[in-house]
């Protein structure tokens, strides 16, 4: 029998899928993406089985728009509250500087996937919206960059068992010992000698940087299970409650679904009730359909998949994870902040999902393709055609004129005038060019993506200046939206670091071992990092008001040029 909470959550998911499908249908989301990748013609071949002309203007416009919004790797600047910054004897500025250095390290760490995930989200925001999940987890079921077990593709694929706390180990003499005791040291570790650390390295004032460097490297080697990640969530997988309000926190819940390997879910230590979990990538499937999915996956050599629904209840601050076709919850735990961060350029005042930027370009794109196809037909249809006087010339003589050779001559009867005359044909070239020019102008006028560089079309210099100013304001506004989105992501990474990251990781990130001031570095390590522990940082995160801002100059060279012009 299914859990009552699972039944309720499934009803929510079904209703949310309907909300998402209605948004996709009303805003032609799939068509926007198809036009971006170049699938713009209903009938790509004409009646003669020749390809019709298609000039994709949307893809290059999106591609040209992205560098002005997200060119460089962003730089996060953390600023403390002004009312606390000027207090005498406070260390808030040093603490904030430490947080800023750590935040910029995390967003530049390749394992975090900050750049890749946010860049894809920005691109997807042109035909839908951008969404990323920011998290801290050592579980491969959550973090895409965590260590994952081998992939099981066949029934006979052997997967090594992950040792857990309750497992046992057989000793060579036949006795059985728990793994917990196996991991425990046989004898207590003696305290380090004066002037030596736990590794036996000297830490006195006269030691060189090799001691500190070795210690930092040892710290870094111990940090493999501390995983910060920024994970891109495709827009088609995002779900929102039926409240469907434009502000995220005003809704009842938010979440997304994803298809993951069944073995990954079963091997994860974060999930429970996975013993009877079976492969299924959608609710409402019968047992026969599920068995067919399993057989198909095994025959094709692909892993079994299960669809997980990850939901965040914005009312009760509870996170749920459930699987399609499974009657028990895999996860239920409280959370502090919603980890999903959204980039929406054109927010609908009445709905959560935005209006795609490309949507306004679809009509002019169709008109441009039709105009270009018509121009091609006119060009191919208007070819030189002639008539000749059969009494004046023979047909075999006309064949000589078709050869096109220099100095060709043919006989004609005397008394005949104009034996060969061109056929008068109507010309549509001018109309075709006008239509093509008009559709091109309409494509630039509708806006939505980037700005129109052809400001010279304005009649006066004043109008051109006003148009240029409006274009710069629109570009600056879009860059500001992207910067705020990135700021929210960095702020969440910093908050997770304050709450979860160990002291060793803070030291490994912020200490530079290759320094000639060895003694000063040691003193700084002792004095500055001695007060940095989980409790102190957690208290400071509540008591110190700090904010994250992304320098616009760090993500776009255009903003630097605009500042220079001003």
């Amino acid at each position: 029998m299914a859990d009552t909470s699972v039944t309720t959550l499934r009803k929510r998911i079904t209703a949310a899928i309907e909300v998402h499908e209605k948004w996709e249908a009303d805003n032609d989301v799939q068509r926007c993406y198809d036009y971006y990748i170049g699938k713009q013609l209903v009938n790509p071949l004409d009646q003669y089985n020749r390809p019709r002309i298609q000039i994709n203007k949307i893809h290059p416009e999106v591609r040209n728009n992205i560098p002005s919004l997200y060119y460089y790797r962003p730089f996060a600047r953390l600023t403390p509250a002004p009312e606390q910054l000027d207090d005498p004897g406070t260390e808030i500025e040093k603490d904030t500087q430490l947080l800023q250095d750590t935040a910029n390290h995390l967003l530049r760490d390749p394992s975090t996937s900050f750049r890749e995930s946010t860049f894809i989200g920005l691109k997807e925001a042109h035909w839908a919206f951008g969404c990323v999940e920011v998290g801290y987890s050592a579980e491969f079921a959550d973090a895409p960059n965590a260590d994952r077990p081998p992939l099981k593709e066949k029934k006979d694929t052997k997967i090594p068992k992950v040792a857990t706390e309750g497992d046992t180990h057989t000793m060579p003499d036949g006795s059985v010992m728990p793994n917990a005791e196996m991991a425990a040291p046989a004898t207590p570790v003696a305290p380090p000698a004066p002037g030596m650390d736990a590794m036996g390295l000297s830490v006195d004032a006269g030691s060189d940087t090799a001691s500190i460097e070795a210690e930092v490297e040892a710290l870094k080697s111990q940090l493999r299970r501390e995983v910060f990640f920024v994970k891109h969530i495709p827009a088609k997988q995002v779900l929102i409650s039926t409240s469907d309000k434009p502000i995220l926190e005003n809704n009842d819940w938010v979440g997304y679904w994803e298809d993951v390997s069944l073995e990954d879910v079963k091997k994860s230590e974060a999930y429970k009730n996975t013993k009877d979990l079976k492969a299924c990538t959608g609710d409402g499937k019968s047992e026969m359909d599920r068995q067919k999915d399993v057989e198909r996956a095994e025959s094709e050599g692909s892993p079994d998949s299960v669809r997980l629904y990850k939901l965040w209840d914005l009312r009760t601050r509870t996170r749920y994870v459930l699987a399609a076709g499974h009657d028990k919850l895999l996860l239920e735990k409280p959370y502090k902040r919603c980890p999903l961060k959204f980039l929406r350029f054109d927010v609908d005042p009445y709905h959560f999902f935005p209006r795609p930027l490309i949507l306004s370009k679809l009509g002019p794109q169709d008109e441009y393709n039709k105009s270009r196809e018509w121009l091609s037909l006119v060009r191919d249809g208007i070819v030189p055609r002639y008539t000749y006087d059969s009494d004046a010339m023979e047909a075999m003589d006309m064949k000589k004129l078709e050869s096109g050779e220099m100095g060709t001559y043919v006989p004609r009867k005397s008394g005949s005038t104009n034996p060969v005359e061109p056929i008068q044909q109507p010309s549509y070239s001018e109309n075709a060019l006008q239509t093509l020019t008009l559709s091109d102008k309409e494509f630039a006028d509708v806006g939505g993506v980037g700005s129109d560089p052809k400001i010279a079309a304005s009649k006066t210099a004043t109008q051109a200046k006003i148009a240029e100013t409006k274009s710069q304001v629109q570009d600056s506004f879009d860059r500001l939206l992207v910067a705020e989105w990135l700021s929210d992501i960095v702020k969440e990474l910093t908050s997770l670091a304050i709450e979860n990251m160990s002291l060793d990781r803070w030291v490994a990130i912020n200490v530079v071992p290759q320094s000639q001031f060895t003694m000063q570095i040691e003193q700084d390590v002792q004095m500055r990092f001695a007060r940095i522990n989980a409790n102190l940082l957690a208290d400071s995160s509540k008591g110190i008001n700090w904010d994250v801002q992304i320098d616009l100059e760090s993500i776009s060279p255009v903003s630097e040029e605009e500042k220079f012009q001003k």
Side-chain angles (χ1 to χ4, degrees):
M1 182 176 179
D3 190 357
T4 306
S5 58
V6 174
T7 304
T8 303
L9 293 176
R10 281 183 176 175
K11 291 181 180 179
R12 292 182 181 181
I13 293 172
T14 302
I17 292 176
E18 294 178 357
V19 172
H20 193 281
E21 290 177 348
K22 185 178 185 303
W23 166 71
E24 286 187 336
D26 293 342
N27 293 274
D28 285 339
V29 177
Q30 184 60 43
R31 185 167 166 237
C32 290
Y33 175 69
D34 290 341
Y35 274 49
Y36 167 77
I37 63 177
K39 297 170 59 176
Q40 302 176 353
L41 302 178
V42 178
N43 298 317
L45 301 178
D46 59 11
Q47 63 270 27
Y48 303 107
N49 205 30
R50 296 177 301 184
R52 298 182 185 274
I53 293 182
Q54 172 188 290
I55 307 297
N56 190 349
K57 296 175 67 66
I58 291 179
H59 181 273
E61 183 156 307
V62 171
R63 193 175 186 277
N64 293 335
N65 187 45
I66 290 178
S68 65
L69 302 176
Y70 197 172
Y71 186 83
Y72 299 133
R73 188 179 297 274
F75 178 79
R77 191 176 303 279
L78 274 72
T79 56
E83 64 272 13
Q84 299 180 3
L85 180 61
D86 56 357
D87 293 343
T90 180
E91 297 290 335
I92 182 176
E93 192 169 4
K94 290 184 178 180
D95 293 342
T96 307
Q97 181 65 41
L98 177 64
L99 294 178
Q100 175 175 300
D101 296 341
T102 305
N104 283 285
H105 168 81
L106 292 177
L107 68 87
R108 283 165 172 77
D109 190 353
S111 64
T112 309
S113 300
F114 179 91
R115 168 76 179 181
E116 295 80 1
S117 299
T118 53
F119 186 82
I120 296 175
L122 171 61
K123 182 176 292 186
E124 190 178 20
H126 287 80
W127 61 81
F129 58 87
C131 178
V132 296
E133 179 186 3
V134 187
Y136 168 89
S137 175
E139 284 293 329
F140 49 82
D142 295 327
N145 53 346
D147 294 335
R148 294 182 293 176
L151 193 61
K152 184 176 181 179
E153 298 181 340
K154 298 286 187 179
K155 286 185 177 181
D156 54 354
T157 303
K158 295 182 179 180
I159 304 297
K161 183 180 180 182
V162 179
T164 59
E165 185 177 354
D167 292 340
T168 59
H169 180 77
T170 303
M171 303 299 293
D173 58 359
S175 61
V176 178
M177 179 178 293
N179 283 338
E181 298 183 13
M182 287 288 297
T187 58
V189 179
M196 308 291 287
D197 61 4
M199 301 176 60
L201 301 173
S202 65
V203 292
D204 56 6
S207 62
D208 55 11
T209 57
S211 175
I212 296 180
E213 186 174 355
E215 234 180 296
V216 173
E217 291 299 326
L219 291 175
K220 290 182 179 181
S221 65
Q222 299 171 5
L223 305 176
R224 297 176 181 175
R225 293 190 61 82
E226 289 197 335
V227 179
F228 293 87
F229 66 90
V230 179
K231 177 182 177 182
H232 169 249
I233 307 299
K236 66 178 181 179
Q237 300 175 199
V238 176
L239 302 174
I240 195 69
S241 62
T242 53
S243 54
D244 193 20
K245 296 180 180 180
I247 301 177
L248 175 62
E249 293 296 332
N250 292 342
N251 291 285
D252 299 329
W253 62 272
V254 68
Y256 67 93
W257 61 264
E258 62 176 345
D259 294 334
V260 298
S261 172
L262 177 62
E263 288 300 319
D264 285 355
V265 179
K266 288 190 174 183
K267 291 292 183 181
S268 174
E269 299 177 1
Y271 296 143
K272 60 181 181 180
N273 300 325
T274 59
K275 182 178 180 180
D276 299 330
L277 185 62
K278 298 181 180 179
C280 182
T281 56
D283 277 327
K285 285 192 174 184
S286 63
E287 189 65 29
M288 183 179 298
D289 293 335
R290 296 176 192 170
Q291 185 62 30
K292 289 182 180 179
D293 290 342
V294 175
E295 295 175 356
R296 186 184 305 109
E298 292 179 352
S299 63
E300 296 175 356
S302 59
D304 298 341
S305 298
V306 60
R307 177 160 299 182
L308 297 184
Y309 294 94
K310 301 182 178 181
L311 312 178
W312 286 264
D313 194 316
L314 301 174
R315 289 178 175 266
T316 63
R317 293 291 171 177
T318 306
R319 180 193 177 195
Y320 300 98
V321 178
L322 64 155
H326 196 56
D327 57 358
K328 294 181 181 179
L329 282 175
L330 302 183
L331 179 67
E332 180 181 4
K333 61 182 297 185
Y335 71 92
K336 294 182 179 180
R337 299 171 305 274
C338 181
L340 300 183
K341 307 299 178 182
F342 295 93
L343 175 61
R344 299 174 294 170
F345 283 111
D346 194 354
V347 179
D348 192 321
Y350 308 107
H351 303 284
F352 178 78
F353 295 125
R355 184 180 187 272
L357 296 181
I358 294 179
L359 182 60
S360 58
K361 297 283 189 178
L362 302 185
Q365 176 68 74
D366 289 338
E367 287 297 320
Y368 190 86
N369 287 334
K370 292 178 181 178
S371 301
R372 189 62 182 82
E373 179 69 18
W374 186 25
L375 181 62
S376 177
L377 293 176
V378 171
R379 180 191 61 199
D380 295 341
I382 301 178
V383 295
R385 294 181 175 89
Y386 303 91
T387 60
Y388 74 95
D389 187 354
S390 59
D391 294 333
M393 301 179 61
E394 299 292 339
M396 58 181 303
D397 294 329
M398 289 297 301
K399 293 291 184 180
K400 297 180 181 179
L401 296 179
E402 295 177 1
S403 64
E405 297 179 0
M406 179 77 68
T408 302
Y409 58 91
V410 294
R412 66 181 179 87
K413 295 181 179 179
S414 59
S416 61
T417 58
N418 297 328
V420 180
E421 295 183 357
I423 299 177
Q424 298 296 328
Q425 303 179 73
S427 176
Y428 300 101
S429 301
E430 183 177 354
N431 294 335
L433 290 174
Q434 289 178 353
T435 304
L436 186 65
T437 304
L438 179 61
S439 61
D440 190 18
K441 183 178 182 302
E442 289 175 345
F443 187 89
D445 290 343
V446 294
V449 181
S451 59
D452 182 19
K454 302 176 182 179
I455 306 176
S458 301
K459 295 181 180 180
T460 65
T462 302
Q463 292 176 339
K465 184 63 177 177
I466 294 175
E468 182 180 3
T469 303
K470 289 182 178 180
S471 175
Q472 291 179 356
V473 170
Q474 179 63 45
D475 290 346
S476 301
F477 181 75
D478 291 343
R479 281 195 294 273
L480 181 60
L481 290 178
V482 176
E484 291 179 346
W485 179 54
L486 298 177
S487 299
D488 290 340
I489 298 173
V490 176
K491 188 172 185 179
E492 181 64 22
L493 282 174
T494 308
S495 300
L496 291 173
I498 292 175
E499 296 168 354
N500 300 286
M501 197 163 67
S502 65
L503 173 62
D504 295 342
R505 182 73 179 266
W506 289 89
V507 175
I509 290 176
N510 293 278
V511 172
V512 180
Q514 298 83 6
S515 175
Q516 57 181 341
F517 304 102
T518 306
M519 185 172 61
Q520 290 84 345
I521 291 179
E522 294 177 358
Q523 293 176 354
D524 186 64
V525 170
Q526 294 176 3
M527 292 177 8
R528 184 177 181 184
F529 291 98
R531 68 175 185 270
I532 300 178
N533 52 62
N535 295 329
L536 179 60
L537 290 174
D539 293 339
S540 64
S541 67
K542 299 175 183 177
I544 296 178
N545 294 324
W546 50 271
D547 192 18
V548 180
Q549 296 179 348
I550 296 294
D551 288 343
L552 292 178
E553 291 79 6
S554 67
I555 61 175
S556 174
V558 180
S559 57
E560 294 181 353
E561 179 65 23
E562 291 178 356
K563 181 181 291 187
F564 173 76
Q565 293 294 337
K566 291 179 181 179

